[in-house]
Amino acid sequence: MPKFQRSSSDSLHLQADVLVLGGGPSAAWAAVAAAESGAKVVLADKGYLGTSGATAPSNTGTWCVPPGDNRHAVVERRWQRTGELADPRWMLRCVDTAYRNLLKLSEWGYPFPSEDDGRLYIANLRGPDYMRFMRRRVLMAGVTVLDHHPALELLSDGDAIVGAAGAARQAGHDWRVDARAVVLATGGCAFRERILGGTGLTGDGYLMAAEAGASLSGMEFTGKYTLAPYGSSLNKGLPFRWASFHREDGSPILGPTGEPLRNGIGVREEEVARALIEGPVYARLDQAEPTLQGWLRQGQPNCFVPYDRAGIDPFTELFRITLRAEGTVRGTGGIDIVSDDCATGVPGLYVAGDAASREIMTGAVSGGGAVNSSWALASGWWAGKGASVHAKRRGGKAFRSTVRPLGQAGLRPAASPRDDIGASEVIDAVRNEVTPLDGNFFRSGVGLEKSRERLESVWREVRDHLRGEGPDRVRAREAASIAAAGRWSVAAALRRTESRGMHRRTDLPGKSPALAHRLVITGVDQFRIAGAPERLAELAS
Amino acid sequence: MIEIVSATRCIECDICVKVCPTNVFDATEGGVPVIARQDDCQTCFLCEIYCPTDALYVAEFAEGPTGISEAEVEERHLFGGYARALGWKRGKAGGSEFDPTHRIRVAQ
């Protein structure tokens, strides 16, 4: 167990080899992997390990590709759909590690369902059960779990990241963990959209990593939206695979061939998005046969909670729908990974799950639930191992030097704090730029430029004046993280002067061969965007 | 979002205070937990399934409270509805081995 020291009654101070920040699947796998390597591990989560994140409230498929000759072909086919930005080598090693960890889950006794021939079906994970199971594995591995301990900032000794500090929001005191390595598994940024997991997914890790000097990539790919019953949190597209869609006057929404749309997921979301910009849209799950209806109800019970509580039969009655923005959660952007162990390029700092850029896995298209779920299984594992190797190498050197906290925006404003700038107003202002369908699902150079200007002015206020006191420090930091993520996203979208995957420029339809590379962002207040060629030159110099 | 903590069903175990990922509830001295930060609720329904007595009700609308009454939730048998659909009982996990989602994926 890590050394427990309470330096005073109002703060908690621990030492560990590896500190994992986050409470979703990639955090859990990172903690288990690091503990298995012999590291003393502390996991600190903003919420509760077991319910935090986008996975716990969901029922997610995995990208499950068994070993064998077919694996290369499966990866190749998937790569064809990534807008040429994914890296087949990463895709292959991800399916390999994810598959092995799915087998581990089965060995550990996770209650997978069986197929008709009696074999376990391991390609699907039911969120609440999976994450409750992972919490038990993390605790069994000897990890110290700190629930409701949001991190506010990373700590550096000048050479490397040596821990993090934050607020224990239920206990009402501060915390600090000195660690030889830190894994950021803080999830993506949902820009406070009211989706499953959305409250906690505010991109905190992006800002912390960027303050430490790490880069981000794929931030322009935030154009992923998923259908949900209107006003609900259920951003789960699967039932809409068997739906028809109608306008207020009852007229059907047509697909690209002129036939009524009978499948609302994948690329068909575009037709629904167009209709939603014009007015309210209604759906009915009338393409599902009775047997399928039963499977949907039993297999995706959370999707039916809104209908049951509103007293609607979605198979026979029309109900109003919406498209929920999903930011970088089902988008692909995040912290750039520089090596196979999920290192960020900042010594001592590793990244896993949706906190990391998934561009190498899924390019310009959404990884949906399945690819992201396998990515969490694999990247959590690599980051946990990588962090524990780094911790061993650092040994006693880690805790000798003076430690400097790195947090700036929202925590240590550049000018005098002002009370008239509040976290929720900042978040609303950012949402206005990065969530509307007619500005972000469909983009244009003119619209993006206006958004960029508005976000610059929001950012200046945040940078100079936003600060919270006591428990409101967490809210101020969340708002700063959301503002930073929105600003990076719009800047990258402006730079990508083409359409590719979920980045849809109405003024620039079609892919540009010159932009068949990733865009890497470095810096917080002053940042630069480098394409692959510049990036290679930078790394070589 | 979360709307009801039923004082008649609640046994004051405070599990919801612990497991809510967005820290919506506050424990109280000698009473049932209170909904202290309702607007932070992400309508994930997880507090309901962890509750050992089905004392919590999360309404389907995520943007704000609907004002549904405890009497209506009781009368429509909505308490514990999501837990029953999953196969969770008295706050304990169960039912994932009967998940037919693989059949849906084949149909897809």
Side-chain angles (χ1 to χ4, degrees):
Chain A
M1 293 293 283
K3 247 191 283 177
F4 241 91
Q5 310 173 334
R6 268 182 192 263
S7 47
S8 72
S9 62
D10 60 356
S11 76
L12 169 72
H13 191 176
L14 305 180
Q15 266 188 16
D17 294 319
V18 173
L19 168 64
V20 178
L21 298 178
S26 70
W29 282 102
V32 169
E36 196 189 67
S37 308
K40 289 179 194 169
V41 184
V42 172
L43 180 151
D45 181 41
K46 183 192 273 186
Y48 176 83
L49 172 65
T51 59
S52 278
T55 298
S58 307
N59 189 358
T60 179
T62 63
W63 192 28
C64 181
V65 191
D69 296 343
N70 197 33
R71 191 181 255 178
H72 279 83
V74 170
V75 166
E76 172 62 24
R77 275 202 302 277
R78 170 86 208 180
W79 182 84
Q80 298 291 346
R81 291 164 45 200
T82 66
E84 294 143 64
L85 295 187
D87 180 340
R89 190 182 71 85
W90 276 93
M91 297 169 80
L92 264 176
R93 65 190 292 262
C94 175
V95 293
D96 189 58
T97 300
Y99 188 79
R100 277 191 275 139
N101 282 347
L102 285 168
L103 292 183
K104 252 182 222 125
L105 272 175
S106 135
E107 284 160 25
W108 292 341
Y110 174 78
F112 282 110
S114 302
E115 299 197 71
D116 292 336
D117 59 8
R119 281 182 311 156
L120 289 182
Y121 181 80
I122 63 166
N124 199 80
L125 293 162
R126 213 169 69 165
D129 308 77
Y130 169 41
M131 287 313 301
R132 188 174 199 166
F133 188 88
M134 286 309 295
R135 179 183 178 89
R136 212 170 61 217
R137 292 307 304 191
V138 169
L139 291 171
M140 278 167 66
V143 174
T144 299
V145 174
L146 304 174
D147 299 304
H148 298 292
H149 278 57
L152 290 167
E153 59 184 333
L154 294 172
L155 308 174
S156 166
D157 69 358
D159 294 327
I161 295 305
V162 291
R169 65 183 179 185
Q170 291 193 337
H173 57 69
D174 286 356
W175 64 266
R176 168 177 160 176
V177 176
D178 295 326
R180 293 179 168 88
V182 173
V183 177
L184 286 171
T186 42
C189 183
F191 296 114
R192 263 302 153 78
E193 185 86 343
R194 293 184 185 267
I195 57 174
L196 296 175
T199 301
L201 297 172
T202 48
D204 312 344
Y206 301 164
L207 183 56
M208 287 193 274
E211 286 171 340
S215 299
L216 299 121
S217 87
M219 291 304 286
E220 66 275 37
F221 298 118
T222 51
K224 177 72 179 93
Y225 290 64
T226 290
L227 287 165
Y230 182 79
S232 81
S233 59
L234 265 294
N235 58 320
K236 300 289 148 195
L238 189 56
F240 294 99
R241 163 67 185 78
W242 294 280
S244 63
F245 299 86
H246 310 264
R247 294 192 179 77
E248 188 103 77
D249 63 5
S251 64
I253 289 164
L254 307 179
T257 57
E259 292 286 297
L261 202 60
R262 293 200 171 89
N263 171 1
I265 62 177
V267 292
R268 302 287 174 262
E269 284 156 4
E270 280 196 39
E271 324 297 336
V272 184
R274 264 186 212 102
L276 273 167
I277 289 170
E278 289 163 16
V281 174
Y282 299 80
R284 187 167 49 212
L285 308 179
D286 50 15
Q287 304 301 305
E289 301 298 321
T291 316
L292 182 61
Q293 291 178 16
W295 293 339
L296 282 169
R297 267 199 170 279
Q298 197 190 338
Q300 306 289 310
N302 60 347
C303 294
F304 291 86
V305 170
Y307 309 124
D308 290 345
R309 293 185 182 188
I312 292 166
D313 177 0
F315 298 113
T316 60
E317 292 173 65
L318 285 175
F319 56 91
R320 193 172 169 192
I321 56 160
T322 188
L323 274 168
R324 286 287 195 192
E326 297 177 308
T328 65
V329 178
R330 275 210 189 98
T332 60
I335 300 159
D336 194 36
I337 289 176
V338 301
S339 54
D340 283 4
D341 54 357
C342 290
T344 61
V346 176
L349 189 62
Y350 296 78
V351 64
D354 291 352
S357 172
R358 283 133 292 148
E359 232 179 352
I360 46 178
M361 277 302 296
T362 185
V365 303
S366 173
V371 172
N372 287 353
S373 162
S374 286
W375 173 249
L377 283 157
S379 63
W381 191 256
W382 298 325
K385 294 284 178 193
S388 61
V389 168
H390 178 86
K392 276 192 195 116
R393 233 171 19 225
R394 284 280 286 181
K397 276 190 301 214
F399 306 131
R400 284 187 197 149
S401 313
T402 317
V403 168
R404 192 167 62 90
L406 299 180
Q408 292 170 40
L411 206 54
R412 297 185 187 85
S416 51
R418 270 177 29 203
D419 290 343
D420 60 322
I421 296 162
S424 57
E425 291 76 21
V426 167
I427 292 169
D428 288 345
V430 177
R431 286 180 52 73
N432 283 339
E433 308 307 325
V434 298
T435 62
L437 289 171
D438 56 1
N440 186 56
F441 191 102
F442 298 110
R443 303 168 171 190
S444 72
V446 174
L448 287 169
E449 181 53 35
K450 283 187 189 140
S451 286
R452 191 193 66 78
E453 283 162 20
R454 287 190 285 259
L455 287 170
E456 282 306 314
S457 106
V458 171
W459 173 255
R460 279 194 298 273
E461 303 262 271
V462 167
R463 178 197 63 195
D464 292 345
H465 307 298
L466 178 68
R467 192 179 69 180
E469 296 289 340
D472 284 341
R473 283 176 302 167
V474 177
R475 291 186 192 272
R477 269 301 255 184
E478 288 177 337
S481 301
I482 285 172
R487 188 170 163 254
W488 287 319
S489 177
V490 166
L494 266 168
R495 174 70 176 262
R496 189 168 283 287
T497 48
E498 61 162 357
S499 290
R500 191 179 291 269
M502 71 179 93
H503 172 65
R504 307 169 197 88
R505 289 277 297 256
T506 51
D507 53 339
L508 297 162
K511 284 190 280 197
S512 156
L515 282 162
H517 58 72
R518 305 191 296 122
L519 297 176
V520 179
I521 300 178
T522 310
V524 183
D525 186 43
Q526 304 283 323
F527 61 85
R528 62 183 188 283
I529 305 178
E534 295 113 301
R535 181 78 179 150
L536 280 177
E538 238 174 61
L539 291 173
S541 65
Chain B
M1 52 181 48
I2 178 74
E3 296 206 35
I4 293 165
V5 180
S6 163
T8 50
R9 289 168 167 262
C10 177
I11 53 168
E12 297 167 27
C13 66
D14 291 340
I15 286 174
C16 55
V17 179
K18 193 176 74 167
V19 303
C20 170
T22 68
N23 198 31
V24 157
F25 304 98
D26 273 344
T28 62
E29 284 290 329
V32 306
V34 293
I35 301 167
R37 285 162 295 273
Q38 190 175 33
D39 196 53
D40 286 343
C41 177
Q42 62 184 11
T43 317
C44 67
F45 308 103
L46 291 175
C47 59
E48 281 191 22
I49 67 174
Y50 273 84
C51 177
T53 58
D54 296 334
L56 303 168
Y57 183 73
V58 178
E60 70 283 5
F61 195 64
E63 308 284 346
T66 62
I68 190 168
S69 70
E70 182 173 344
E72 183 184 342
V73 175
E74 197 71 72
E75 194 195 304
R76 291 175 58 205
H77 305 288
L78 294 175
F79 277 119
Y82 181 40
R84 282 193 297 277
L86 282 167
W88 285 44
K89 281 194 193 88
R90 290 181 286 278
K92 299 275 177 274
S96 67
E97 64 272 39
F98 305 114
D99 181 357
T101 297
H102 55 286
R103 299 184 194 283
I104 305 174
R105 301 217 189 274
V106 173
Q108 193 183 355

